[in-house]
Amino acid sequence: VCAAFFCALQGTPVKKSGIKWLPDVKSAQKILGKEKKSILLFFTAPGWCGPCRALEKGPIASPEFAAIVKKNAAVKMDYSKLM
């Protein structure tokens, strides 16, 4: 499970830059099944986290990032909704 360097996003499936964001880890595990792939966790608080918004508009919006993520599963969670 990857998580460390991202501040997360919304908890609903969103498709931007070719990335299908899943709402939770269970959904990602179900989709991946027994495949040996990674789950990228992207935690965000779009309402107040400037760096989160910058990541979404910059590196995460890039085709290069999308190509890497497509090979795995991506979970986007809004930190402010988790508290």
Side-chain angles (χ1 to χ4, degrees):
V1 176
C2 302
F5 53 93
F6 292 108
C7 310
L9 305 153
Q10 307 168 172
T12 55
V14 176
K15 200 166 187 176
K16 290 183 180 179
S17 302
I19 298 172
K20 181 182 178 188
W21 292 103
L22 301 168
D24 54 50
V25 174
K26 285 185 180 184
S27 299
Q29 289 172 327
K30 184 184 269 187
I31 288 172
L32 292 178
K34 296 186 184 217
E35 295 181 46
K36 295 197 180 223
K37 293 184 177 182
S38 297
I39 298 173
L40 169 71
L41 299 177
F42 182 52
F43 293 92
T44 192
W48 56 267
C49 179
C52 298
R53 290 190 301 268
L55 281 171
E56 255 191 289
K57 292 178 183 176
I60 290 177
S62 74
E64 295 84 7
F65 184 80
I68 292 168
V69 174
K70 279 184 181 179
K71 297 174 186 173
N72 298 290
V75 177
K76 185 178 188 180
M77 301 171 78
D78 186 338
Y79 179 75
S80 57
K81 292 180 181 179
L82 298 175
M83 297 180 69

